[in-house]
Amino acid sequence: MRQLLAAAVLLAAGLHPAFAADGKLVLYTSQPNTDAQKTTDAFMAKNPGIKVEWVRDGTPKVMAKLRAEIEAGNPQPDVLLISDVVTMEGLKKEGRLLAFKDANTDGIDPALMDKDGTYFSTKLITTGIVYNTKAPFVPASWSDLTKPEAKNLVSLPSPLTSGAAMIHTVTLTENLPQGWDFYGELAKNGAQAAGGNGDVLKAVSGGDKLFGMIVDYMPIREKAKGAPVEFVFPKEGVSAVTEPVAILSTAKNPEAAKAFVNFLLSEEGQKLAVGMGYIPARPDAGLPAGYPDRSAIKVLAFDAAGALANDTANKEKFSEVMGQ
């Protein structure tokens, strides 16, 4: 009753009331452990009445856990914060996401949001080129990875095991004029596709490979620690995963989940992402150290719904082209 009266007073004054949220909030996330802890700690400091319990793993394992819970009739999470919009599109199609039309999306490009308000991008994690400082040349274009000087020296994450890598593959094949032929040229040049982004970083920083495709923050962070690597945003543009957040339609505490979504999209939440070393969804939140001006980062178009519909075909095509 006190909460309702407080909200009525705010409305009478022409103010927008905050969600009267408290209790337990269950979060399933694919964020790195350190980032997940920082995110939930900051949210709970802002919302002391809410206690966040979180489970962290890679997106495929998070989804396998959620699928098992759905099958058993007892899904646990209130909110998901995972790597890619393709997974969210699948959940939306199944009716498993709660629309949140009043989310605080001020200052964020509408193209980064689901038009029906079921999921919201929280940051931009782009994929570009990493190279070892001992590399024979400095790459500036995706096509540079097919040069003779790069033969047998290129590593890339496999889209058969990495969702971000699949988004990257689909983005390049849909935007580069060569289409799938680009990956055919990579294969002819001895490029190796295996594992995830961490494996690429290890190979390039260790000198086993001298070039790689990788998410931006990994080499930028490692360079700051003294690793012999540099990161390039290729001139044609980059792909991006946007770490979307969404509320489950089966959420047990939807008001706390809405408060969490709004926190991530707020200026404070976006600056928290910058502090972790990510490009925020909100341009006014700034950029981490080591990144060029935002205007210099060209993000290529990506059709999440189309990627979802063609996922099996794209994986089969990649295996065929790369000989895997």
Side-chain angles (χ1 to χ4, degrees), residues 20-38:
D22 56 17
K24 182 176 78 171
L25 176 71
V26 179
L27 165 69
Y28 280 14
T29 182
S30 63
Q31 285 185 299
N33 281 312
T34 301
D35 293 350
Q37 191 67 64
K38 288 180 179 177

Side-chain angles (χ1 to χ4, degrees), residues 259-311:
F260 185 76
V261 170
N262 274 342
F263 173 75
L264 293 182
L265 301 179
S266 69
E267 184 176 4
E268 180 180 351
Q270 291 287 285
K271 286 185 175 179
L272 180 66
V274 173
M276 295 176 186
Y278 300 108
I279 302 171
R282 284 178 61 145
D284 61 357
L287 283 169
Y291 285 77
D293 186 85
R294 199 175 181 114
S295 62
I297 303 172
K298 179 184 177 183
V299 177
L300 297 170
F302 174 70
D303 177 7
L308 175 66
N310 298 314
D311 184 60

Side-chain angles (χ1 to χ4, degrees), residues 118 172 227 252 274 307:
T118 63
L172 290 192
K252 297 178 178 67
V274 173

